[in-house]
Amino acid sequence: MTEPTAATTDLLTLPPGEPTPPAGEEVFVFPASYGQRRLWFLDRLEPGSPLYNIPLALRLTGALRERSLARALAEIVRRHEALRTTFEIEGDEPVQVVSPPVGFPLPRVDLAGPPAARRQEAARLAAVEAARPFDLARGPLLRATLIRLGPNEHVLLLTLHHIVADGWSLGVLARELSALYAADRAGRPSSLPELPIQYADFAAWQRERLAGGLRERQMAYWRAQLGDAPRLLDLPLAGPRPAARGHRARHATRPLPATAAAGLRELCHREGTTPFIALLAAFQALLFRTTGQPDLVVGTPVANRTAEETEGLIGLFINNLALRARLDDATSFRTLLGQVRETALAAFAHQDLPFEELVEELAPERALSHDPLVQAVFGMGDGAGAIPELPGLRVEPLPAEHDTVKFDLALSVEEGPRGLLARLDGSADLYETTTLARLLEHFETLFAAALAEPGRPIADLPLLSAVERQAVLCDWSEGGALPEVASEIGLLHALFAAQAARTPERTALTSAREDGPPVELTYAELDARAERLARRLAALGVGPEVRVGVALERTADLPVALLGILEAGGAYVPLDPTYPPARLALMIEDARTGQDGFVVLTQERLVPRLEEVLAGDLTLLCIDAPADAEPDASAIPLPQPHPGNLAYLIYTSGSTGRPKGVAIEHRSAAAFCRWAREWFSDEELAGVFASTSINFDLSVYELFV
């Protein structure tokens, strides 16, 4: 588990808390902390979600004293009220309900069978336990199970809900478990002093401090920092962002070379900074290079234990800080280091304001597709804080995959005896594992270059490894340079024309209809329709570099429209008719920049919808108009585009608020088609289901390859 970043502010002192109620007395009710309040509402929003489970699976090898282990866990639960807390609602707000200590069960599961089968079953049980939901109203919010694999081999499963613990808490639990187990095993009384305060005291103190003017002072700082910050990081996604993003995770890990750890220490000494600042700067540089976004926000967790008495408590103290970075191509890595250090130190000094309060104040537009303000986070840890040291036992973490992630992208770097280990977690709705692995490889390459030359501009830092450069520049380019002539290789529509000449009577497409039998067009018929449309478009002034909108439903008219625009020499611009009017208007305004007039190909049934967004010198051309309504354009000559001319202009999802147009030349699209024809067999391409919207590049493969 990645430890949250430690704060650099001076420790405060809390007033003495109420004494812990002795066993047998009534329950105590306290207000929930800000963090608990947020997690309680999230649990109500998505009941039974394992997203905020904190699992820990430990393999214990040696002579285990089960009774000592059970007593140690029971004593930890007695000491820490947070572990005896459940949550109820009073009015509209959740409250903490602290029950008296009544012991703590440690159920045991005995496994039988061959050793390999027992270990496999233990791993399965660990995964099941990690995903088992909690009931915040009934509890308990700490569960423990002991799995017996043999006389000298056990697995201890501990699972907590995040509402009563955080990453720091696991270290507290490990230290106390070590001390209490050792004492009981040796027949000694516990040497741990009683806790001066409990978590409920912190929650009350937190509310009092924020009510005393601290909230306004810290809110003013964060409002100035983030008031105009971009609300969404335009990350490179595997596909369109879903309307409601799930929390299933994919992961990639990568040990950084030994030279990275040594170089990091040297850089920090030379530049007067810390490993956290240097690695965070490298992550921000990677995001800048990957997204092209010069203004971005990265989150980082902080322990938020600014009072000395909280350091030994189990509870939810962690807070998230949103760190903003402004970069450009000329910014050097050394300059970025200074910027990140200044931003982080100021943020640590204003860490008392709960992140949920900041979100409520800034009121960003909420959506189920992404988190507010922060979608990418970075953290560091030492990897050893949550592993107890139990006498007579070898204790090792058991790899138990907890396949959830709270943000779109989360990078953690762990510093251990073997050097630096980087792990990247990403939402399975947004990333493939191969994408995460490639991003980690790019991070390693960029970071190594930054360590070697911190004065180098970020834009000049390499991303591709030597292997990737070989693949991109050589292995994937065996065909050599693309010809600069209007040939079958150089023009996208020329690929289709060559096929139509070879097999004019073969079926080119089949398209279902709601009101009759499917439409089937041969290559000759499709070519003829496209040519007629191309001449009509040429008569309207369409030619090389002229952009034409395509607002069509998925019918046989769609490939006719695309081929017709390309044959006229123009470039097609996908305009999904189901998009909101404001987005369509923005895309049209951007696409028509620099040209007189703008033609939009559509269907008669869509005209009323499109007229809502059309303004200025725009022409609607209905591709499904009756043939007798078409003007005679048979004599209009068709221009011959160049492979370097634009083939299509495709827009990004607009996740940062404004879609960006990506211009693709004929030679690039044709090269992709050529590669795909070499890669896939004729049998694999005998029939392709064209299901992808033309607003995405994959449609080029489905329609043209």
Side-chain angles (χ1 to χ4, degrees), residues 177-201:
L177 182 60
S178 302
L180 292 168
Y181 178 84
D184 192 89
R185 183 175 181 269
R188 301 191 311 266
S190 167
S191 61
L192 296 178
E194 287 298 317
L195 298 168
I197 65 167
Q198 290 290 339
Y199 184 80
D201 302 311

Side-chain angles (χ1 to χ4, degrees), residues 57-62 109-127 147-155 157 394 396 398-400:
L58 301 173
R59 179 184 287 113
L60 312 177
T61 307
V109 176
D110 290 297
L111 299 182
R118 293 199 299 267
R119 292 188 180 96
Q120 185 176 9
E121 177 63 8
R124 187 193 70 82
L125 292 175
I147 302 174
R148 186 177 187 273
L149 285 77
N152 293 308
E153 187 176 6
H154 297 77
V155 171
L157 304 181
R394 186 171 76 248
E396 305 166 288
L398 180 71

Side-chain angles (χ1 to χ4, degrees), residues 573-589:
V573 182
L575 301 170
D576 191 325
T578 65
Y579 279 177
R583 176 168 175 177
L584 286 174
L586 187 150
M587 293 165 65
I588 291 172
E589 177 188 0

Side-chain angles (χ1 to χ4, degrees), residues 530 532-550 561-573 595-601 619 621 636-641 646-647 666:
R532 284 199 303 272
L533 176 60
R535 296 189 187 278
R536 290 179 64 191
L537 292 170
L540 294 172
V542 174
E545 299 300 312
V546 174
R547 299 169 289 283
V548 179
V550 179
L562 303 185
L563 286 168
I565 294 169
L566 295 172
E567 286 191 31
Y572 67 84
V573 182
Q595 73 180 42
D596 296 328
F598 190 74
V599 176
V600 177
L601 285 178
T619 301
L621 182 60
I636 301 294
L638 295 177
Q640 184 73 294
L646 192 62
H666 272 276

Side-chain angles (χ1 to χ4, degrees), residues 300-369:
T300 190
V302 288
N304 198 32
R305 296 178 183 244
T306 54
E308 185 176 6
E309 295 87 347
T310 63
E311 292 188 347
L313 278 180
I314 293 175
L316 176 61
F317 296 88
I318 190 173
N319 195 17
N320 288 315
L321 302 182
L323 306 180
R324 187 175 182 179
R326 296 176 176 88
L327 309 91
D328 57 43
D329 289 345
T331 303
S332 70
F333 188 73
R334 177 176 287 116
T335 301
L336 180 59
L337 276 177
Q339 180 191 134
V340 172
R341 182 178 185 276
E342 181 179 342
T343 301
L345 290 177
F348 293 152
H350 296 85
Q351 67 175 286
D352 296 285
L353 184 74
F355 182 72
E356 40 278 349
E357 288 282 291
L358 175 61
V359 172
E360 188 173 327
E361 173 74 16
L362 297 181
E365 182 179 349
R366 296 299 187 100
L368 295 176
S369 61

Side-chain angles (χ1 to χ4, degrees), residues 19 45 66 88 126 160 172 255 380 400 695:
L45 184 66
E66 292 186 28
E88 295 180 359
L160 303 94
V172 175
M380 279 194 73
N695 292 272

